Each structure stands twice: as C-alpha cells, then as structure tokens.
mmCIF file with all atom_site columns, all heavy atoms in Angstrom:
data_model
loop_
_atom_site.group_PDB
_atom_site.id
_atom_site.type_symbol
_atom_site.label_atom_id
_atom_site.label_alt_id
_atom_site.label_comp_id
_atom_site.label_asym_id
_atom_site.label_entity_id
_atom_site.label_seq_id
_atom_site.pdbx_PDB_ins_code
_atom_site.Cartn_x
_atom_site.Cartn_y
_atom_site.Cartn_z
_atom_site.occupancy
_atom_site.B_iso_or_equiv
_atom_site.pdbx_formal_charge
_atom_site.auth_seq_id
_atom_site.auth_comp_id
_atom_site.auth_asym_id
_atom_site.auth_atom_id
_atom_site.pdbx_PDB_model_num
ATOM 1   N N   . ASP A 1 1  ? 0.823  -1.215 0.000   1.00 91.00 ? 1  ASP A N   1
ATOM 2   C CA  . ASP A 1 1  ? 0.000  0.000  0.000   1.00 91.00 ? 1  ASP A CA  1
ATOM 3   C C   . ASP A 1 1  ? 0.854  1.262  0.000   1.00 91.00 ? 1  ASP A C   1
ATOM 4   O O   . ASP A 1 1  ? 0.571  2.208  -0.741  1.00 91.00 ? 1  ASP A O   1
ATOM 5   C CB  . ASP A 1 1  ? -0.934 0.013  1.209   1.00 91.00 ? 1  ASP A CB  1
ATOM 6   C CG  . ASP A 1 1  ? -2.064 -0.993 1.102   1.00 91.00 ? 1  ASP A CG  1
ATOM 7   O OD1 . ASP A 1 1  ? -2.268 -1.555 0.003   1.00 91.00 ? 1  ASP A OD1 1
ATOM 8   O OD2 . ASP A 1 1  ? -2.738 -1.226 2.123   1.00 91.00 ? 1  ASP A OD2 1
ATOM 9   N N   . VAL A 1 2  ? 1.906  1.288  0.822   1.00 92.00 ? 2  VAL A N   1
ATOM 10  C CA  . VAL A 1 2  ? 2.782  2.463  0.875   1.00 92.00 ? 2  VAL A CA  1
ATOM 11  C C   . VAL A 1 2  ? 3.520  2.622  -0.453  1.00 92.00 ? 2  VAL A C   1
ATOM 12  O O   . VAL A 1 2  ? 3.684  3.739  -0.958  1.00 92.00 ? 2  VAL A O   1
ATOM 13  C CB  . VAL A 1 2  ? 3.765  2.367  2.068   1.00 92.00 ? 2  VAL A CB  1
ATOM 14  C CG1 . VAL A 1 2  ? 4.854  3.416  1.979   1.00 92.00 ? 2  VAL A CG1 1
ATOM 15  C CG2 . VAL A 1 2  ? 3.006  2.505  3.380   1.00 92.00 ? 2  VAL A CG2 1
ATOM 16  N N   . ASN A 1 3  ? 3.929  1.529  -1.033  1.00 93.00 ? 3  ASN A N   1
ATOM 17  C CA  . ASN A 1 3  ? 4.592  1.580  -2.342  1.00 93.00 ? 3  ASN A CA  1
ATOM 18  C C   . ASN A 1 3  ? 3.651  2.112  -3.414  1.00 93.00 ? 3  ASN A C   1
ATOM 19  O O   . ASN A 1 3  ? 4.029  2.940  -4.239  1.00 93.00 ? 3  ASN A O   1
ATOM 20  C CB  . ASN A 1 3  ? 5.105  0.196  -2.735  1.00 93.00 ? 3  ASN A CB  1
ATOM 21  C CG  . ASN A 1 3  ? 6.597  0.170  -2.897  1.00 93.00 ? 3  ASN A CG  1
ATOM 22  O OD1 . ASN A 1 3  ? 7.260  1.196  -2.968  1.00 93.00 ? 3  ASN A OD1 1
ATOM 23  N ND2 . ASN A 1 3  ? 7.138  -1.020 -2.954  1.00 93.00 ? 3  ASN A ND2 1
ATOM 24  N N   . GLU A 1 4  ? 2.432  1.630  -3.418  1.00 91.00 ? 4  GLU A N   1
ATOM 25  C CA  . GLU A 1 4  ? 1.450  2.082  -4.404  1.00 91.00 ? 4  GLU A CA  1
ATOM 26  C C   . GLU A 1 4  ? 1.163  3.572  -4.238  1.00 91.00 ? 4  GLU A C   1
ATOM 27  O O   . GLU A 1 4  ? 1.101  4.320  -5.217  1.00 91.00 ? 4  GLU A O   1
ATOM 28  C CB  . GLU A 1 4  ? 0.165  1.271  -4.247  1.00 91.00 ? 4  GLU A CB  1
ATOM 29  C CG  . GLU A 1 4  ? -0.891 1.608  -5.265  1.00 91.00 ? 4  GLU A CG  1
ATOM 30  C CD  . GLU A 1 4  ? -2.148 0.762  -5.102  1.00 91.00 ? 4  GLU A CD  1
ATOM 31  O OE1 . GLU A 1 4  ? -2.075 -0.342 -4.533  1.00 91.00 ? 4  GLU A OE1 1
ATOM 32  O OE2 . GLU A 1 4  ? -3.207 1.222  -5.550  1.00 91.00 ? 4  GLU A OE2 1
ATOM 33  N N   . LEU A 1 5  ? 1.015  4.015  -3.001  1.00 92.00 ? 5  LEU A N   1
ATOM 34  C CA  . LEU A 1 5  ? 0.768  5.423  -2.724  1.00 92.00 ? 5  LEU A CA  1
ATOM 35  C C   . LEU A 1 5  ? 1.935  6.290  -3.198  1.00 92.00 ? 5  LEU A C   1
ATOM 36  O O   . LEU A 1 5  ? 1.745  7.312  -3.855  1.00 92.00 ? 5  LEU A O   1
ATOM 37  C CB  . LEU A 1 5  ? 0.551  5.614  -1.218  1.00 92.00 ? 5  LEU A CB  1
ATOM 38  C CG  . LEU A 1 5  ? 0.169  7.003  -0.759  1.00 92.00 ? 5  LEU A CG  1
ATOM 39  C CD1 . LEU A 1 5  ? -1.276 7.288  -1.121  1.00 92.00 ? 5  LEU A CD1 1
ATOM 40  C CD2 . LEU A 1 5  ? 0.353  7.113  0.744   1.00 92.00 ? 5  LEU A CD2 1
ATOM 41  N N   . THR A 1 6  ? 3.151  5.859  -2.917  1.00 93.00 ? 6  THR A N   1
ATOM 42  C CA  . THR A 1 6  ? 4.342  6.617  -3.316  1.00 93.00 ? 6  THR A CA  1
ATOM 43  C C   . THR A 1 6  ? 4.492  6.637  -4.831  1.00 93.00 ? 6  THR A C   1
ATOM 44  O O   . THR A 1 6  ? 4.827  7.674  -5.415  1.00 93.00 ? 6  THR A O   1
ATOM 45  C CB  . THR A 1 6  ? 5.594  6.009  -2.656  1.00 93.00 ? 6  THR A CB  1
ATOM 46  O OG1 . THR A 1 6  ? 5.392  5.994  -1.236  1.00 93.00 ? 6  THR A OG1 1
ATOM 47  C CG2 . THR A 1 6  ? 6.830  6.812  -2.961  1.00 93.00 ? 6  THR A CG2 1
ATOM 48  N N   . GLN A 1 7  ? 4.228  5.524  -5.478  1.00 92.00 ? 7  GLN A N   1
ATOM 49  C CA  . GLN A 1 7  ? 4.323  5.476  -6.944  1.00 92.00 ? 7  GLN A CA  1
ATOM 50  C C   . GLN A 1 7  ? 3.302  6.405  -7.599  1.00 92.00 ? 7  GLN A C   1
ATOM 51  O O   . GLN A 1 7  ? 3.619  7.094  -8.566  1.00 92.00 ? 7  GLN A O   1
ATOM 52  C CB  . GLN A 1 7  ? 4.108  4.043  -7.443  1.00 92.00 ? 7  GLN A CB  1
ATOM 53  C CG  . GLN A 1 7  ? 5.311  3.155  -7.287  1.00 92.00 ? 7  GLN A CG  1
ATOM 54  C CD  . GLN A 1 7  ? 6.384  3.525  -8.272  1.00 92.00 ? 7  GLN A CD  1
ATOM 55  O OE1 . GLN A 1 7  ? 6.209  3.467  -9.471  1.00 92.00 ? 7  GLN A OE1 1
ATOM 56  N NE2 . GLN A 1 7  ? 7.521  3.944  -7.751  1.00 92.00 ? 7  GLN A NE2 1
ATOM 57  N N   . LEU A 1 8  ? 2.091  6.431  -7.061  1.00 89.00 ? 8  LEU A N   1
ATOM 58  C CA  . LEU A 1 8  ? 1.073  7.306  -7.617  1.00 89.00 ? 8  LEU A CA  1
ATOM 59  C C   . LEU A 1 8  ? 1.437  8.772  -7.404  1.00 89.00 ? 8  LEU A C   1
ATOM 60  O O   . LEU A 1 8  ? 1.252  9.602  -8.298  1.00 89.00 ? 8  LEU A O   1
ATOM 61  C CB  . LEU A 1 8  ? -0.281 6.976  -6.996  1.00 89.00 ? 8  LEU A CB  1
ATOM 62  C CG  . LEU A 1 8  ? -1.517 7.252  -7.811  1.00 89.00 ? 8  LEU A CG  1
ATOM 63  C CD1 . LEU A 1 8  ? -1.385 6.789  -9.252  1.00 89.00 ? 8  LEU A CD1 1
ATOM 64  C CD2 . LEU A 1 8  ? -2.727 6.598  -7.182  1.00 89.00 ? 8  LEU A CD2 1
ATOM 65  N N   . ALA A 1 9  ? 1.981  9.098  -6.238  1.00 90.00 ? 9  ALA A N   1
ATOM 66  C CA  . ALA A 1 9  ? 2.433  10.468 -5.973  1.00 90.00 ? 9  ALA A CA  1
ATOM 67  C C   . ALA A 1 9  ? 3.562  10.850 -6.926  1.00 90.00 ? 9  ALA A C   1
ATOM 68  O O   . ALA A 1 9  ? 3.619  11.977 -7.434  1.00 90.00 ? 9  ALA A O   1
ATOM 69  C CB  . ALA A 1 9  ? 2.895  10.588 -4.526  1.00 90.00 ? 9  ALA A CB  1
ATOM 70  N N   . TRP A 1 10 ? 4.452  9.924  -7.185  1.00 92.00 ? 10 TRP A N   1
ATOM 71  C CA  . TRP A 1 10 ? 5.586  10.145 -8.090  1.00 92.00 ? 10 TRP A CA  1
ATOM 72  C C   . TRP A 1 10 ? 5.081  10.441 -9.505  1.00 92.00 ? 10 TRP A C   1
ATOM 73  O O   . TRP A 1 10 ? 5.523  11.390 -10.152 1.00 92.00 ? 10 TRP A O   1
ATOM 74  C CB  . TRP A 1 10 ? 6.471  8.901  -8.055  1.00 92.00 ? 10 TRP A CB  1
ATOM 75  C CG  . TRP A 1 10 ? 7.707  8.915  -8.862  1.00 92.00 ? 10 TRP A CG  1
ATOM 76  C CD1 . TRP A 1 10 ? 8.776  9.758  -8.728  1.00 92.00 ? 10 TRP A CD1 1
ATOM 77  C CD2 . TRP A 1 10 ? 8.055  8.007  -9.917  1.00 92.00 ? 10 TRP A CD2 1
ATOM 78  N NE1 . TRP A 1 10 ? 9.757  9.417  -9.633  1.00 92.00 ? 10 TRP A NE1 1
ATOM 79  C CE2 . TRP A 1 10 ? 9.340  8.346  -10.372 1.00 92.00 ? 10 TRP A CE2 1
ATOM 80  C CE3 . TRP A 1 10 ? 7.408  6.930  -10.505 1.00 92.00 ? 10 TRP A CE3 1
ATOM 81  C CZ2 . TRP A 1 10 ? 9.983  7.662  -11.397 1.00 92.00 ? 10 TRP A CZ2 1
ATOM 82  C CZ3 . TRP A 1 10 ? 8.053  6.235  -11.508 1.00 92.00 ? 10 TRP A CZ3 1
ATOM 83  C CH2 . TRP A 1 10 ? 9.322  6.611  -11.953 1.00 92.00 ? 10 TRP A CH2 1
ATOM 84  N N   . GLN A 1 11 ? 4.138  9.635  -9.963  1.00 91.00 ? 11 GLN A N   1
ATOM 85  C CA  . GLN A 1 11 ? 3.574  9.851  -11.297 1.00 91.00 ? 11 GLN A CA  1
ATOM 86  C C   . GLN A 1 11 ? 2.843  11.185 -11.378 1.00 91.00 ? 11 GLN A C   1
ATOM 87  O O   . GLN A 1 11 ? 2.992  11.923 -12.350 1.00 91.00 ? 11 GLN A O   1
ATOM 88  C CB  . GLN A 1 11 ? 2.619  8.708  -11.652 1.00 91.00 ? 11 GLN A CB  1
ATOM 89  C CG  . GLN A 1 11 ? 3.310  7.400  -11.887 1.00 91.00 ? 11 GLN A CG  1
ATOM 90  C CD  . GLN A 1 11 ? 2.339  6.244  -12.031 1.00 91.00 ? 11 GLN A CD  1
ATOM 91  O OE1 . GLN A 1 11 ? 1.128  6.404  -11.907 1.00 91.00 ? 11 GLN A OE1 1
ATOM 92  N NE2 . GLN A 1 11 ? 2.876  5.052  -12.279 1.00 91.00 ? 11 GLN A NE2 1
ATOM 93  N N   . ASN A 1 12 ? 2.052  11.506 -10.344 1.00 88.00 ? 12 ASN A N   1
ATOM 94  C CA  . ASN A 1 12 ? 1.316  12.776 -10.340 1.00 88.00 ? 12 ASN A CA  1
ATOM 95  C C   . ASN A 1 12 ? 2.257  13.967 -10.299 1.00 88.00 ? 12 ASN A C   1
ATOM 96  O O   . ASN A 1 12 ? 1.992  14.991 -10.928 1.00 88.00 ? 12 ASN A O   1
ATOM 97  C CB  . ASN A 1 12 ? 0.344  12.833 -9.167  1.00 88.00 ? 12 ASN A CB  1
ATOM 98  C CG  . ASN A 1 12 ? -0.946 12.107 -9.441  1.00 88.00 ? 12 ASN A CG  1
ATOM 99  O OD1 . ASN A 1 12 ? -1.201 11.675 -10.555 1.00 88.00 ? 12 ASN A OD1 1
ATOM 100 N ND2 . ASN A 1 12 ? -1.757 11.958 -8.423  1.00 88.00 ? 12 ASN A ND2 1
ATOM 101 N N   . ALA A 1 13 ? 3.343  13.862 -9.546  1.00 90.00 ? 13 ALA A N   1
ATOM 102 C CA  . ALA A 1 13 ? 4.304  14.963 -9.462  1.00 90.00 ? 13 ALA A CA  1
ATOM 103 C C   . ALA A 1 13 ? 4.903  15.250 -10.829 1.00 90.00 ? 13 ALA A C   1
ATOM 104 O O   . ALA A 1 13 ? 5.060  16.411 -11.223 1.00 90.00 ? 13 ALA A O   1
ATOM 105 C CB  . ALA A 1 13 ? 5.400  14.637 -8.452  1.00 90.00 ? 13 ALA A CB  1
ATOM 106 N N   . MET A 1 14 ? 5.228  14.214 -11.562 1.00 91.00 ? 14 MET A N   1
ATOM 107 C CA  . MET A 1 14 ? 5.824  14.415 -12.881 1.00 91.00 ? 14 MET A CA  1
ATOM 108 C C   . MET A 1 14 ? 4.783  14.892 -13.906 1.00 91.00 ? 14 MET A C   1
ATOM 109 O O   . MET A 1 14 ? 5.102  15.703 -14.768 1.00 91.00 ? 14 MET A O   1
ATOM 110 C CB  . MET A 1 14 ? 6.506  13.129 -13.355 1.00 91.00 ? 14 MET A CB  1
ATOM 111 C CG  . MET A 1 14 ? 7.768  12.836 -12.554 1.00 91.00 ? 14 MET A CG  1
ATOM 112 S SD  . MET A 1 14 ? 8.786  11.509 -13.211 1.00 91.00 ? 14 MET A SD  1
ATOM 113 C CE  . MET A 1 14 ? 7.714  10.114 -13.121 1.00 91.00 ? 14 MET A CE  1
ATOM 114 N N   . GLN A 1 15 ? 3.549  14.413 -13.800 1.00 90.00 ? 15 GLN A N   1
ATOM 115 C CA  . GLN A 1 15 ? 2.523  14.814 -14.763 1.00 90.00 ? 15 GLN A CA  1
ATOM 116 C C   . GLN A 1 15 ? 2.046  16.243 -14.528 1.00 90.00 ? 15 GLN A C   1
ATOM 117 O O   . GLN A 1 15 ? 1.860  16.999 -15.475 1.00 90.00 ? 15 GLN A O   1
ATOM 118 C CB  . GLN A 1 15 ? 1.320  13.868 -14.686 1.00 90.00 ? 15 GLN A CB  1
ATOM 119 C CG  . GLN A 1 15 ? 1.585  12.524 -15.294 1.00 90.00 ? 15 GLN A CG  1
ATOM 120 C CD  . GLN A 1 15 ? 0.414  11.576 -15.090 1.00 90.00 ? 15 GLN A CD  1
ATOM 121 O OE1 . GLN A 1 15 ? -0.516 11.848 -14.350 1.00 90.00 ? 15 GLN A OE1 1
ATOM 122 N NE2 . GLN A 1 15 ? 0.491  10.422 -15.759 1.00 90.00 ? 15 GLN A NE2 1
ATOM 123 N N   . THR A 1 16 ? 1.848  16.619 -13.266 1.00 87.00 ? 16 THR A N   1
ATOM 124 C CA  . THR A 1 16 ? 1.312  17.951 -12.962 1.00 87.00 ? 16 THR A CA  1
ATOM 125 C C   . THR A 1 16 ? 2.405  18.997 -12.803 1.00 87.00 ? 16 THR A C   1
ATOM 126 O O   . THR A 1 16 ? 2.101  20.179 -12.714 1.00 87.00 ? 16 THR A O   1
ATOM 127 C CB  . THR A 1 16 ? 0.483  17.911 -11.662 1.00 87.00 ? 16 THR A CB  1
ATOM 128 O OG1 . THR A 1 16 ? 1.334  17.541 -10.568 1.00 87.00 ? 16 THR A OG1 1
ATOM 129 C CG2 . THR A 1 16 ? -0.684 16.953 -11.777 1.00 87.00 ? 16 THR A CG2 1
ATOM 130 N N   . ARG A 1 17 ? 3.656  18.535 -12.728 1.00 89.00 ? 17 ARG A N   1
ATOM 131 C CA  . ARG A 1 17 ? 4.807  19.431 -12.510 1.00 89.00 ? 17 ARG A CA  1
ATOM 132 C C   . ARG A 1 17 ? 4.687  20.197 -11.196 1.00 89.00 ? 17 ARG A C   1
ATOM 133 O O   . ARG A 1 17 ? 5.060  21.353 -11.081 1.00 89.00 ? 17 ARG A O   1
ATOM 134 C CB  . ARG A 1 17 ? 4.986  20.400 -13.688 1.00 89.00 ? 17 ARG A CB  1
ATOM 135 C CG  . ARG A 1 17 ? 5.080  19.759 -15.059 1.00 89.00 ? 17 ARG A CG  1
ATOM 136 C CD  . ARG A 1 17 ? 6.202  18.792 -15.253 1.00 89.00 ? 17 ARG A CD  1
ATOM 137 N NE  . ARG A 1 17 ? 7.505  19.405 -15.037 1.00 89.00 ? 17 ARG A NE  1
ATOM 138 C CZ  . ARG A 1 17 ? 8.597  18.718 -14.720 1.00 89.00 ? 17 ARG A CZ  1
ATOM 139 N NH1 . ARG A 1 17 ? 8.543  17.416 -14.599 1.00 89.00 ? 17 ARG A NH1 1
ATOM 140 N NH2 . ARG A 1 17 ? 9.738  19.311 -14.531 1.00 89.00 ? 17 ARG A NH2 1
ATOM 141 N N   . LYS A 1 18 ? 4.132  19.519 -10.170 1.00 89.00 ? 18 LYS A N   1
ATOM 142 C CA  . LYS A 1 18 ? 3.979  20.101 -8.840  1.00 89.00 ? 18 LYS A CA  1
ATOM 143 C C   . LYS A 1 18 ? 4.668  19.199 -7.820  1.00 89.00 ? 18 LYS A C   1
ATOM 144 O O   . LYS A 1 18 ? 4.709  17.981 -7.980  1.00 89.00 ? 18 LYS A O   1
ATOM 145 C CB  . LYS A 1 18 ? 2.506  20.242 -8.466  1.00 89.00 ? 18 LYS A CB  1
ATOM 146 C CG  . LYS A 1 18 ? 1.756  21.224 -9.332  1.00 89.00 ? 18 LYS A CG  1
ATOM 147 C CD  . LYS A 1 18 ? 0.317  21.316 -8.903  1.00 89.00 ? 18 LYS A CD  1
ATOM 148 C CE  . LYS A 1 18 ? -0.435 22.295 -9.791  1.00 89.00 ? 18 LYS A CE  1
ATOM 149 N NZ  . LYS A 1 18 ? -1.832 22.413 -9.380  1.00 89.00 ? 18 LYS A NZ  1
ATOM 150 N N   . ILE A 1 19 ? 5.168  19.816 -6.768  1.00 90.00 ? 19 ILE A N   1
ATOM 151 C CA  . ILE A 1 19 ? 5.766  19.055 -5.672  1.00 90.00 ? 19 ILE A CA  1
ATOM 152 C C   . ILE A 1 19 ? 4.645  18.337 -4.926  1.00 90.00 ? 19 ILE A C   1
ATOM 153 O O   . ILE A 1 19 ? 3.608  18.927 -4.631  1.00 90.00 ? 19 ILE A O   1
ATOM 154 C CB  . ILE A 1 19 ? 6.540  19.984 -4.720  1.00 90.00 ? 19 ILE A CB  1
ATOM 155 C CG1 . ILE A 1 19 ? 7.689  20.659 -5.461  1.00 90.00 ? 19 ILE A CG1 1
ATOM 156 C CG2 . ILE A 1 19 ? 7.038  19.210 -3.508  1.00 90.00 ? 19 ILE A CG2 1
ATOM 157 C CD1 . ILE A 1 19 ? 8.382  21.750 -4.660  1.00 90.00 ? 19 ILE A CD1 1
ATOM 158 N N   . HIS A 1 20 ? 4.872  17.065 -4.622  1.00 90.00 ? 20 HIS A N   1
ATOM 159 C CA  . HIS A 1 20 ? 3.904  16.280 -3.862  1.00 90.00 ? 20 HIS A CA  1
ATOM 160 C C   . HIS A 1 20 ? 4.517  15.869 -2.532  1.00 90.00 ? 20 HIS A C   1
ATOM 161 O O   . HIS A 1 20 ? 5.725  15.669 -2.433  1.00 90.00 ? 20 HIS A O   1
ATOM 162 C CB  . HIS A 1 20 ? 3.458  15.058 -4.658  1.00 90.00 ? 20 HIS A CB  1
ATOM 163 C CG  . HIS A 1 20 ? 2.438  15.373 -5.690  1.00 90.00 ? 20 HIS A CG  1
ATOM 164 N ND1 . HIS A 1 20 ? 2.672  16.238 -6.738  1.00 90.00 ? 20 HIS A ND1 1
ATOM 165 C CD2 . HIS A 1 20 ? 1.164  14.945 -5.835  1.00 90.00 ? 20 HIS A CD2 1
ATOM 166 C CE1 . HIS A 1 20 ? 1.593  16.335 -7.477  1.00 90.00 ? 20 HIS A CE1 1
ATOM 167 N NE2 . HIS A 1 20 ? 0.661  15.548 -6.956  1.00 90.00 ? 20 HIS A NE2 1
ATOM 168 N N   . LYS A 1 21 ? 3.655  15.737 -1.561  1.00 90.00 ? 21 LYS A N   1
ATOM 169 C CA  . LYS A 1 21 ? 4.063  15.425 -0.190  1.00 90.00 ? 21 LYS A CA  1
ATOM 170 C C   . LYS A 1 21 ? 3.333  14.151 0.241   1.00 90.00 ? 21 LYS A C   1
ATOM 171 O O   . LYS A 1 21 ? 2.101  14.090 0.179   1.00 90.00 ? 21 LYS A O   1
ATOM 172 C CB  . LYS A 1 21 ? 3.662  16.609 0.678   1.00 90.00 ? 21 LYS A CB  1
ATOM 173 C CG  . LYS A 1 21 ? 3.997  16.547 2.115   1.00 90.00 ? 21 LYS A CG  1
ATOM 174 C CD  . LYS A 1 21 ? 3.573  17.891 2.727   1.00 90.00 ? 21 LYS A CD  1
ATOM 175 C CE  . LYS A 1 21 ? 3.706  17.934 4.191   1.00 90.00 ? 21 LYS A CE  1
ATOM 176 N NZ  . LYS A 1 21 ? 3.274  19.225 4.738   1.00 90.00 ? 21 LYS A NZ  1
ATOM 177 N N   . VAL A 1 22 ? 4.095  13.131 0.627   1.00 91.00 ? 22 VAL A N   1
ATOM 178 C CA  . VAL A 1 22 ? 3.521  11.899 1.157   1.00 91.00 ? 22 VAL A CA  1
ATOM 179 C C   . VAL A 1 22 ? 3.543  12.034 2.677   1.00 91.00 ? 22 VAL A C   1
ATOM 180 O O   . VAL A 1 22 ? 4.607  12.165 3.283   1.00 91.00 ? 22 VAL A O   1
ATOM 181 C CB  . VAL A 1 22 ? 4.314  10.651 0.707   1.00 91.00 ? 22 VAL A CB  1
ATOM 182 C CG1 . VAL A 1 22 ? 3.713  9.393  1.307   1.00 91.00 ? 22 VAL A CG1 1
ATOM 183 C CG2 . VAL A 1 22 ? 4.344  10.560 -0.812  1.00 91.00 ? 22 VAL A CG2 1
ATOM 184 N N   . ILE A 1 23 ? 2.362  12.039 3.281   1.00 90.00 ? 23 ILE A N   1
ATOM 185 C CA  . ILE A 1 23 ? 2.211  12.300 4.714   1.00 90.00 ? 23 ILE A CA  1
ATOM 186 C C   . ILE A 1 23 ? 1.809  11.012 5.420   1.00 90.00 ? 23 ILE A C   1
ATOM 187 O O   . ILE A 1 23 ? 0.928  10.293 4.951   1.00 90.00 ? 23 ILE A O   1
ATOM 188 C CB  . ILE A 1 23 ? 1.133  13.371 4.951   1.00 90.00 ? 23 ILE A CB  1
ATOM 189 C CG1 . ILE A 1 23 ? 1.483  14.642 4.187   1.00 90.00 ? 23 ILE A CG1 1
ATOM 190 C CG2 . ILE A 1 23 ? 0.949  13.648 6.433   1.00 90.00 ? 23 ILE A CG2 1
ATOM 191 C CD1 . ILE A 1 23 ? 0.350  15.621 4.073   1.00 90.00 ? 23 ILE A CD1 1
ATOM 192 N N   . MET A 1 24 ? 2.438  10.773 6.585   1.00 91.00 ? 24 MET A N   1
ATOM 193 C CA  . MET A 1 24 ? 2.069  9.636  7.422   1.00 91.00 ? 24 MET A CA  1
ATOM 194 C C   . MET A 1 24 ? 1.694  10.166 8.799   1.00 91.00 ? 24 MET A C   1
ATOM 195 O O   . MET A 1 24 ? 2.512  10.801 9.461   1.00 91.00 ? 24 MET A O   1
ATOM 196 C CB  . MET A 1 24 ? 3.210  8.637  7.526   1.00 91.00 ? 24 MET A CB  1
ATOM 197 C CG  . MET A 1 24 ? 3.597  8.031  6.208   1.00 91.00 ? 24 MET A CG  1
ATOM 198 S SD  . MET A 1 24 ? 4.769  6.701  6.419   1.00 91.00 ? 24 MET A SD  1
ATOM 199 C CE  . MET A 1 24 ? 3.939  5.439  5.508   1.00 91.00 ? 24 MET A CE  1
ATOM 200 N N   . ASP A 1 25 ? 0.468  9.902  9.204   1.00 91.00 ? 25 ASP A N   1
ATOM 201 C CA  . ASP A 1 25 ? -0.025 10.297 10.525  1.00 91.00 ? 25 ASP A CA  1
ATOM 202 C C   . ASP A 1 25 ? 0.025  9.062  11.411  1.00 91.00 ? 25 ASP A C   1
ATOM 203 O O   . ASP A 1 25 ? -0.727 8.105  11.196  1.00 91.00 ? 25 ASP A O   1
ATOM 204 C CB  . ASP A 1 25 ? -1.451 10.839 10.397  1.00 91.00 ? 25 ASP A CB  1
ATOM 205 C CG  . ASP A 1 25 ? -1.993 11.390 11.701  1.00 91.00 ? 25 ASP A CG  1
ATOM 206 O OD1 . ASP A 1 25 ? -1.716 10.801 12.765  1.00 91.00 ? 25 ASP A OD1 1
ATOM 207 O OD2 . ASP A 1 25 ? -2.699 12.414 11.644  1.00 91.00 ? 25 ASP A OD2 1
#
C-alpha cells in the first residue's frame, strides 16, 4: 500500500509538474 501510494504520488508529481508530499499520521 505504501509503495502504491508513493508510486502514484511520483507519477502525479511528474505529470502535474507540482511538488507532492507523502504524509504519514
């Protein structure tokens, strides 16, 4: 699950050209 979340954030960061933050509470 953490890998999938990080991979999706990575893809979104490159597609949207925005910095993404993976947060763990």
Side-chain angles (χ1 to χ4, degrees):
D1 288 348
V2 168
N3 242 346
E4 183 179 337
L5 185 74
T6 304
Q7 282 288 299
L8 208 45
W10 182 62
Q11 290 171 357
N12 278 352
M14 289 190 298
Q15 286 175 350
T16 63
R17 306 301 301 157
K18 295 180 181 181
I19 298 171
H20 281 61
K21 181 176 174 181
V22 178
I23 303 166
M24 298 188 128
D25 185 322

